[in-house]
């Protein structure tokens, strides 16, 4: 398995969002992380929140989440440089916080990104994302949703396990890669339709 991973370029948050104080996370972390990768990509991946991005000395590094995500993408044949990765929460939580209130406050930023970027396909990772985007669903866990396509803001969306869950439970890797392969198929199908 190819284990080479890359640090994707980070996209600056829009001016109005850089100093966001809509939720309590502004007291916990020093900056807003808007997203990374190709800002013009037609595929947007949604993670729960940014992980550690710099080591204690302030040097950029790849956290386990990003490594596992990139390994899965490579196995599925998805070009890492052709996607955009964003977050439900735009700041990295350092300690406990009011999850429902924070997620509701941060959803505004994700909706703004969708309006601006107009991706053709969305893909969410982990229960935090699936449950935040589909609060009305009785069972919005990844286990219940994976393998099917839904709509969020009129855009097709699928789900898979969070890369950290895959890292902790290697038996999930085959399902993770399967889901990413299905994503690639859906994404390529949408690209063909849009031509």
């Amino acid at each position: 398995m190819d284990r080479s991973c890359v640090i994707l370029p980070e996209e600056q948050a829009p001016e109005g969002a850089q100093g966001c104080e809509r939720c309590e996370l502004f007291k916990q972390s020093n900056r807003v992380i808007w997203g990374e990768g190709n800002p013009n990509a037609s595929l947007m991946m949604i993670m729960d929140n940014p992980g550690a991005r710099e080591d204690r000395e302030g040097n950029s590094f790849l956290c386990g989440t990003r490594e596992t995500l990139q390994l899965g993408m490579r196995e599925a044949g998805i070009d890492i440089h052709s996607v955009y990765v964003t977050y439900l929460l735009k700041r990295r939580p350092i300690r406990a916080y009011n999850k429902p209130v924070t997620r509701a406050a941060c959803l505004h930023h994700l909706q703004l990104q969708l309006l601006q970027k107009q991706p053709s396909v969305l893909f969410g990772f982990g229960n935090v994302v699936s449950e935040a985007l589909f609060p009305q669903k009785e069972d919005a866990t990844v286990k219940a949703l994976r393998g099917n396509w839904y709509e969020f803001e009129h855009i097709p969306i699928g789900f898979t396990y969070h890369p950290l869950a895959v890292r902790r439970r290697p038996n999930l890797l085959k399902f993770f890669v399967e889901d990413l392969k299905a994503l690639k198929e859906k994404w390529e199908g949408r690209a063909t339709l849009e031509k």
Side-chain angles (χ1 to χ4, degrees):
M1 188 187 281
D2 177 8
R3 294 195 168 268
S4 58
C5 293
V6 294
I7 294 173
L8 295 170
E10 198 176 298
E11 183 182 35
Q12 276 302 115
E15 215 167 287
Q18 287 173 9
C20 179
E21 296 183 7
R22 291 174 73 99
C23 74
E24 64 185 280
L25 292 186
F26 85 93
K27 294 175 182 168
Q28 290 193 27
S29 64
N30 58 0
R31 67 189 182 102
V32 166
I33 311 289
W34 199 245
E36 62 185 62
N38 180 348
N40 303 310
S42 59
L43 169 56
M44 184 185 282
M45 295 180 159
I46 306 169
M47 306 290 287
D48 50 354
N49 55 258
R53 309 180 80 74
E54 292 94 16
D55 63 19
R56 288 174 189 222
E57 286 73 49
N59 303 309
S60 295
F61 86 112
L62 274 160
C63 65
T65 296
R66 287 144 100 197
E67 276 183 345
T68 305
L69 173 60
Q70 290 185 24
L71 289 173
M73 287 171 65
R74 258 197 311 284
E75 287 292 299
I78 297 173
D79 176 10
I80 291 155
H81 300 283
S82 65
V83 306
Y84 184 76
V85 181
T86 192
Y87 310 94
L88 180 66
L89 307 182
K90 302 301 188 196
R91 293 179 186 266
R92 179 177 176 232
I94 309 293
R95 55 187 174 275
Y97 60 97
N98 184 325
K99 291 183 171 79
V101 169
T102 303
R103 290 172 192 166
C106 286
L107 194 56
H108 159 83
H109 292 310
L110 181 60
Q111 289 165 324
L112 178 68
Q113 280 180 307
L114 296 179
L115 275 173
Q116 288 172 340
K117 295 184 177 298
Q118 301 282 306
S120 62
V121 181
L122 299 172
F123 206 66
F125 294 84
N127 291 334
V128 169
V129 174
S130 59
E131 290 167 1
L133 299 190
F134 292 106
Q136 73 285 3
K137 273 198 188 297
E138 199 171 305
D139 185 1
T141 61
V142 164
K143 194 172 180 183
L145 299 182
R146 63 174 291 271
N148 293 301
W149 289 93
Y150 305 88
E151 278 209 347
F152 181 72
E153 304 284 332
H154 310 292
I155 304 167
I157 186 168
F159 295 92
T160 193
Y161 299 104
H162 192 285
L164 277 186
V166 175
R167 209 172 167 88
R168 289 186 195 120
R169 295 172 54 204
N171 61 310
L172 294 178
L173 181 62
K174 68 176 182 181
F175 303 113
F176 187 66
V177 173
E178 253 172 45
D179 294 342
L180 288 167
K181 283 180 177 172
L183 164 63
K184 184 183 183 208
E185 199 175 299
K186 178 77 168 181
W187 183 34
E188 287 173 347
R190 294 280 293 180
T192 305
L193 282 175
E194 289 167 3
K195 277 182 182 168

